[in-house]
Amino acid sequence: MFGNIGIPGLILILIVALIVFGPSKLPEIGRAFGSSLREFKNATRDIVSDKEEEKKH
């Protein structure tokens, strides 16, 4: 997903985020992003397992 960005691109994104949101908001934003990503993975896993169960029957 982020394979083409590279280390310099990630550093630039982090610096811009630090400037825009400030140091106090970054941990909160990171937690929100992490929980959203976790929920997306769980939903995707559930959909894939449902499709596999349908193929078996």
Side-chain angles (χ1 to χ4, degrees):
M1 183 171 169
F2 295 110
N4 296 334
I5 292 177
I7 298 296
L10 287 175
I11 292 172
L12 181 64
I13 290 170
L14 287 174
I15 290 172
V16 169
L18 183 62
I19 292 170
V20 171
F21 297 112
S24 62
K25 287 285 184 179
L26 283 182
E28 182 181 329
I29 292 169
R31 277 191 295 273
F33 179 74
S35 65
S36 299
L37 187 61
R38 190 177 316 112
E39 289 177 25
F40 178 75
K41 283 182 172 182
N42 290 336
T44 304
R45 188 178 307 125
D46 290 342
I47 291 171
V48 169
S49 66
D50 288 345
K51 292 290 182 179
E52 289 176 355
E53 286 179 19
E54 288 179 7
K55 287 182 181 179
K56 289 181 181 178
H57 295 148

